[in-house]
Amino acid sequence: MDLLVVDSDIAENPEKLRQALKKKGAMLTGSKAQQIVSVKKILTNIEPDVHQLAMKPGFRGAGFILGETMLGTAKGTYVWRATAGKPDIGQRGGTLEGWINEVAPIVAQSSFATVALFIALAAPLVTYVGQHMNDTTGLYALLSETAVFNFSGDSRIGKSNMSKLAAGIFGSPDAIFKWDFSRPGLEVLAEARNDLSLLLDDTEKLVEIDMTLKNALRLVGQIIPSGESKALAESARDKGSPERRWTAFGISSSPMPLDELAAKDKHPWTRTDGEKVRFINIALPKREDGGIFDRLPEGTPDPVEAGKILIKDLERGVALHYGHIMLAWINLLLAENHALKIQTYCAHFAKKVAVDGTGYNKNYAEKFGILYAAGRLAIEAGILPLPKDLPWKAVRRCYNLAISSAASADEFAAAKINRLVSLVKQKARFPKASVASSKIVVYRPDTLGVRIVVKGRSKCAMRDKDLSRYAGSRALAKAMRRKLKTAGALGTGQGTAGTSQPGMKIKIGGKIVKPRFWIIDEKKLGRSARK
């Protein structure tokens, strides 16, 4: 007699359990409908004091299995197959108040640590929204596939601390996996982080014995977002190999961007667009710029030294206080239906940042949108004591960096120029000004430049810092200027800078200044993206 072991989420689904029993050789009689009725009877006749063994974490209806911590209706129903003495999910240390006082203020000084935190909180939302589709009008699936987020940068800038921070949201900060897996092994790891995040060490720690770096990177980018194990052969099923399913986000780190790793590998290759959107690279600032701490107080005299101190403080805080935020987060989700709000926040982010609302940028925007939604809801609910504008600023910063890394500068510059064609006509973004007038133009937070008429032709004028802000980086602003110049849309200006000082005054931040501008011909602007 064979013993059939199935995960509890399958045990709650009579049809899935029927299929599992038949594959194991059970002699079920009658029609398919009659067999399902029989399986339902088996499930309903389970004694109430019998606990089910949970083989993976995640939502179970109105409950959630967080390792050894059971929430909602999962409490008293399931038991966890604990890993004795090993770092695991659901483990807790210190206090929630300790995390709020010691960890949160440090996280607020880093867009990247903030996004790592949001990835951990976003992981359960795909399943959560899916569970509410039947009882919430107008709701649809958030994502067709998840993603792995890779933070690339030099050593000693805080990369490993971000992984520990994310792991510490839902358990031990040391519950991080190494790059020493096979394909089936990675599937096991992914299922073990169902509705959570799978954290991997830095790629530098991969020892190419059983697997090359190329194969390891491709497996991570394929398997974690896919959500299911490779189709099994009949022989494998006969031997009891399980079909695994999961929903998880991944976090990893590397010394250089993934595309550079691919190009410099001993067996070089070029990552496809599909690989890039499933395995997303976010390039971190240089150590001399503060590393992961890009939100240091203005006027910080020594960003490098400040970064060193904050890294040590973050490491200490995460080691002492962990496993509390996810507990509060899941309790919030179980207490009330927030699915429609989450969907609205995701859509808001994607609509704002995706240049044309379709295709390449939209795929990235949707995945970053769920991070924005998680952060915004957690802050509004009082779970995270962080500034209300931080989700937008931090997630958009990382989105721009990811797009910059994935698309060529020319591709992204063209998309930005296309968008600029319509923005120029918006008075709030480009208020009208006159070179001859003494009237002062007031700049608001969403102002990008001004519209002027020069020798009978309509022009838009942008300060260098506003062009870089709009582009997302100085490198992309340079690519935009190159395309504008090729199309004859960019004025030459005076001297080597290329900017002009028409003489108009603007008021910004309470100060009145007479800045230099890049002058762009509006009629030729639309042609620039095609050059």
Side-chain angles (χ1 to χ4, degrees):
M1 178 179 176
D2 286 338
L3 175 65
L4 173 64
V5 178
V6 296
D7 188 49
S8 52
D9 63 342
I10 294 179
E12 292 175 348
N13 188 314
E15 169 55 13
K16 286 185 178 180
L17 183 54
R18 184 192 73 87
Q19 293 176 11
L21 288 168
K22 286 183 70 67
K23 287 176 182 178
K24 198 66 177 178
M27 302 297 292
L28 298 177
T29 60
S31 65
K32 177 180 176 180
Q34 291 171 327
Q35 292 175 13
I36 291 175
V37 170
S38 299
V39 173
K40 283 182 178 179
K41 288 181 179 179
I42 295 173
L43 293 174
T44 54
N45 288 332
I46 295 176
E47 295 294 330
D49 59 344
V50 174
H51 287 69
Q52 297 182 47
L53 177 65
M55 305 297 288
K56 65 183 181 185
F59 281 104
R60 298 294 189 276
F64 193 94
I65 297 168
L66 184 58
E68 60 190 25
T69 304
M70 302 295 168
L71 304 172
T73 56
K75 192 180 299 183
T77 303
Y78 300 97
V79 292
W80 181 246
R81 47 185 182 88
T83 52
K86 293 183 179 181
D88 200 3
I89 61 176
Q91 294 175 348
R92 280 173 286 177
T95 63
L96 176 59
E97 291 73 21
W99 191 94
I100 289 172
N101 294 328
E102 297 183 33
V103 178
I106 301 174
V107 172
Q109 297 183 68
S110 169
S111 298
F112 310 99
T114 297
V115 165
L117 165 60
F118 291 170
I119 293 170
L121 294 183
L125 298 186
V126 176
T127 300
Y128 177 75
V129 170
Q131 288 190 161
H132 281 289
M133 287 177 65
N134 290 331
D135 57 37
T136 308
T137 303
L139 200 61
Y140 52 81
L142 286 182
L143 296 173
S144 58
E145 62 178 9
T146 59
V148 182
F149 296 88
N150 183 75
F151 294 94
S152 64
D154 300 332
S155 59
R156 297 181 297 164
I157 61 171
K159 289 183 297 180
S160 61
N161 296 87
M162 291 196 301
S163 293
K164 286 182 176 290
L165 167 71
I169 296 304
F170 53 81
S172 168
D174 295 318
I176 297 173
F177 297 116
K178 297 179 180 180
W179 287 78
D180 60 354
F181 44 75
S182 60
R183 182 184 186 109
L186 183 57
E187 291 172 354
V188 171
L189 299 184
E191 189 178 57
R193 292 296 181 267
N194 179 57
D195 288 341
L196 298 172
S197 295
L198 193 157
L199 289 303
L200 290 168
D201 261 335
D202 197 287
T203 57
E204 284 185 304
K205 298 181 181 180
L206 170 65
V207 179
E208 295 191 47
I209 297 176
D210 298 321
M211 184 177 295
T212 65
L213 174 64
K214 179 177 181 178
N215 287 340
L217 291 177
R218 283 187 156 170
L219 278 181
V220 168
Q222 290 170 4
I223 289 176
I224 297 173
S226 73
E228 60 183 4
S229 58
K230 184 179 180 181
L232 296 174
E234 289 295 331
S235 58
R237 283 200 280 273
D238 291 343
K239 292 178 181 178
S241 297
E243 295 183 19
R244 303 183 186 280
R245 284 180 171 79
W246 60 85
T247 300
F249 281 101
I251 297 178
S252 66
S253 60
S254 62
M256 64 181 69
L258 295 175
D259 289 316
E260 287 187 33
L261 279 179
K264 293 181 178 181
D265 188 58
K266 56 187 176 184
H267 302 293
W269 84 99
T270 300
R271 296 204 307 150
T272 66
D273 287 349
E275 287 176 317
K276 290 177 182 180
V277 80
R278 288 189 294 270
F279 202 167
I280 298 171
N281 193 85
I282 301 170
L284 300 172
K286 297 288 186 181
R287 189 164 175 261
E288 55 266 30
D289 296 323
I292 66 171
F293 297 103
D294 62 328
R295 296 177 55 81
L296 294 171
E298 190 172 349
T300 300
D302 189 347
V304 175
E305 188 59 32
K308 287 181 183 177
I309 295 170
L310 287 172
I311 286 172
K312 289 181 179 179
D313 290 344
L314 180 62
E315 186 174 16
R316 180 182 184 277
V318 169
L320 290 175
H321 308 287
Y322 56 86
H324 300 282
I325 297 297
M326 185 62 78
L327 188 66
W329 179 237
I330 297 300
N331 280 330
L332 171 76
L333 297 178
L334 292 177
E336 189 178 339
N337 182 358
H338 297 278
L340 200 56
K341 182 181 288 188
I342 291 166
Q343 177 180 282
T344 301
Y345 289 165
C346 288
H348 170 76
F349 182 87
K351 183 179 179 180
K352 286 288 187 180
V353 303
V355 175
D356 55 8
T358 60
Y360 197 73
N361 295 315
K362 185 171 183 286
N363 289 334
Y364 283 87
E366 288 176 342
K367 293 182 180 184
F368 279 92
I370 193 172
L371 311 186
Y372 168 75
R376 181 170 172 179
L377 179 59
I379 290 172
E380 288 176 349
I383 293 174
L384 297 179
L386 299 173
K388 290 184 178 180
D389 62 351
L390 187 55
W392 176 260
K393 291 181 177 179
V395 178
R396 183 168 186 175
R397 170 108 202 263
C398 290
Y399 165 80
N400 283 334
L401 288 169
I403 286 288
S404 302
S405 178
S408 70
D410 282 344
E411 287 175 322
F412 193 58
K416 282 290 185 179
I417 291 171
N418 275 330
R419 176 64 174 154
L420 193 60
V421 172
S422 61
L423 291 179
V424 165
K425 297 177 174 61
Q426 296 181 15
K427 292 182 180 180
R429 299 298 187 100
F430 287 88
K432 289 184 178 180
S434 173
V435 176
S437 173
S438 60
K439 183 179 179 181
I440 296 171
V441 179
V442 179
Y443 265 47
R444 305 190 185 282
D446 57 350
T447 301
L448 290 174
V450 295
R451 296 182 78 185
I452 57 177
V453 176
V454 179
K455 296 181 180 180
R457 295 181 70 91
S458 294
K459 311 272 188 177
C460 64
M462 299 179 72
R463 296 184 305 159
D464 189 65
K465 64 170 60 178
D466 291 324
L467 181 61
S468 294
R469 173 168 61 93
Y470 171 70
S473 71
R474 295 190 67 83
L476 287 172
K478 185 177 181 180
M480 286 180 66
R481 294 198 303 271
R482 184 172 61 249
K483 293 185 76 65
L484 290 167
K485 187 176 181 180
T486 301
L490 191 65
T492 55
Q494 298 94 25
T496 57
T499 54
S500 301
Q501 193 175 39
M504 74 195 83
K505 294 180 180 180
I506 68 170
K507 184 176 182 180
I508 183 167
K511 294 182 179 180
I512 298 176
V513 294
K514 191 188 293 185
R516 300 183 69 85
F517 293 92
W518 293 103
I519 309 297
I520 304 168
D521 189 291
E522 289 186 26
K523 190 172 182 180
K524 296 180 180 179
L525 176 63
R527 306 173 191 169
S528 305
R530 299 188 293 274
K531 296 291 184 180

